[in-house]
Amino acid sequence: MSVRNRRSVLAGGVAALAAALSGVRVAGAHDGEDHGAEGAVHHLVTIERFKFEPAELSVSVGDTITWMNADIAPHTATAKDGSWDTGTIKKGEAISITVAPGMTGGYFCRFHPAMKAELEIDA
Amino acid sequence: MKKLSSLAAAGVAAFLLVSPVAAQEAADLNDLEIAHVAYVADNIDIRYAHLALAISTNPAIHEFARTMIRDHSAVNDQALALLDKLGAEAQDNFLSQALLENADKLVDEMAGLRGAAFDKRYAENELAYHIAVNDLVENTFIPNIENVEVKALFEAGLEIFKAHQGHAEMMVEQVSQ
């Protein structure tokens, strides 16, 4: 596992997430992405009503993806091939992973297998 | 799908145990009685899940059962927190009692099964149970709940239980193969 996990416990919602990630500067309204100093981009995936939003995401190696769970039910984001896994993300929590080579492809929620999404790594 | 809908009909009948009269009485429950029914219904599903973890050797059944325990516990935690915030206490009622009575019988029945027979019975009951509870929550409880926060919690709960219903359908298909 070459991914790096970071767990942020959030009191409430996206505003708190933005505060928790200060220093990483989250998502401007323009395109849902934030370009850091070294060109790495921070992506936010919201889990709400049993859906990953956005369900399809283009990323580059070195970018960070944060999954934030707005549901009462705990979820995970887990690679279909098992190569990476956020672990349990409880209500109001967020977990970040730095994109490593090979993370491209489908992922799902281990607890609710009907929840599916896709990562695409840009060359 | 025919099989699923006949299962559903059987589940609703078994679940409500009874007559249109009781269905009407369910619509007359107050918010605190409705909260009690939901809390009991969550705990019954948690009980079925613990039975499955004890009896089944099927990894997919275990995974499903752990999800039931995790999610229904999360909903109950939210419900208790909300009741606490409102300074209220859930009220026992005829429907909670009927649910518990029915669950006792089902636990006795399922506890006597082993192997594939248990897995099939558990998965089918999970599907029937979620269909029945979802019908009750969506069509009887949510339209009758007065408190806005309680209603919102039930709407969020329904979302979860519908996902479980879909998951249970997958489980039924899997163990029937």
Side-chain angles (χ1 to χ4, degrees):
Chain A
M1 286 279 288
S2 55
V3 296
R4 184 163 52 87
N5 284 7
R6 184 181 53 202
R7 180 181 295 258
S8 324
V9 179
L10 300 170
V14 176
L17 175 67
L21 296 175
S22 62
V24 196
R25 286 194 301 130
V26 179
H30 52 296
D31 60 355
E33 296 178 347
D34 175 62
H35 298 258
E38 293 162 19
V41 177
H42 195 117
H43 308 267
L44 176 64
V45 178
T46 305
I47 308 173
E48 194 167 16
R49 305 178 68 135
F50 283 69
K51 286 192 174 71
F52 295 103
E53 178 60 41
E56 287 174 26
L57 191 61
S58 292
V59 297
S60 301
V61 171
D63 287 358
T64 308
I65 308 170
T66 296
W67 283 270
M68 199 207 73
N69 182 12
D71 279 342
I72 291 170
H75 294 296
T76 75
T78 304
K80 248 169 39 184
D81 65 6
S83 62
W84 58 270
D85 190 344
T86 59
T88 303
I89 315 171
K90 290 184 185 163
K91 175 182 189 287
E93 282 187 356
I95 288 181
S96 300
I97 282 182
T98 301
V99 178
M103 273 179 71
T104 199
Y107 70 92
F108 69 114
C109 169
R110 258 191 293 128
F111 304 154
H112 312 101
M115 294 171 58
K116 291 174 186 156
E118 199 88 27
L119 288 185
E120 190 194 329
I121 298 191
D122 295 332
Chain B
M1 281 315 286
K2 202 170 181 188
K3 191 179 167 198
L4 290 183
S5 51
S6 67
L7 256 180
V12 174
F15 171 76
L16 284 175
L17 283 175
V18 272
S19 58
V21 179
Q24 180 49 46
E25 284 171 8
D28 293 336
L29 296 176
N30 69 39
D31 285 9
L32 296 174
E33 289 168 329
I34 289 173
H36 195 279
V37 173
Y39 191 75
V40 164
D42 276 326
N43 279 328
I44 286 171
D45 204 48
I46 290 169
R47 212 168 130 203
Y48 293 150
H50 280 294
L51 189 68
L53 290 176
I55 292 180
S56 179
T57 54
N58 182 330
I61 291 281
H62 275 232
E63 188 68 43
F64 178 86
R66 280 195 293 266
T67 289
M68 294 307 111
I69 293 170
R70 194 186 303 111
D71 288 358
H72 287 285
S73 300
V75 172
N76 270 355
D77 288 349
Q78 289 292 307
L80 288 179
L82 179 55
L83 286 171
D84 197 39
K85 182 185 157 196
L86 298 172
E89 204 170 308
Q91 290 170 3
D92 199 359
N93 60 85
F94 83 95
L95 191 49
S96 293
Q97 297 295 332
L99 276 175
L100 281 171
E101 215 172 287
N102 199 37
D104 284 344
K105 284 183 201 149
L106 268 163
V107 167
D108 280 349
E109 183 205 325
M110 288 197 284
L113 301 173
R114 291 294 180 272
F118 174 87
D119 294 345
K120 188 167 182 293
R121 187 72 186 91
Y122 172 69
E124 285 177 355
N125 183 55
E126 281 302 293
L127 178 56
Y129 187 65
H130 279 92
I131 289 172
V133 175
N134 290 347
D135 178 59
L136 185 71
V137 168
E138 185 165 22
N139 299 312
T140 304
F141 287 170
I142 288 177
N144 287 302
I145 292 170
E146 288 175 7
N147 181 283
V148 178
E149 286 177 279
V150 174
K151 196 188 277 265
L153 181 55
F154 270 76
E155 283 163 350
L158 182 61
E159 199 101 42
I160 297 173
F161 309 146
K162 281 190 169 172
H164 291 174
Q165 185 180 321
H167 198 164
E169 269 175 38
M170 281 166 50
M171 293 305 310
V172 168
E173 278 170 31
Q174 215 171 316
V175 298
S176 301
Q177 277 167 6

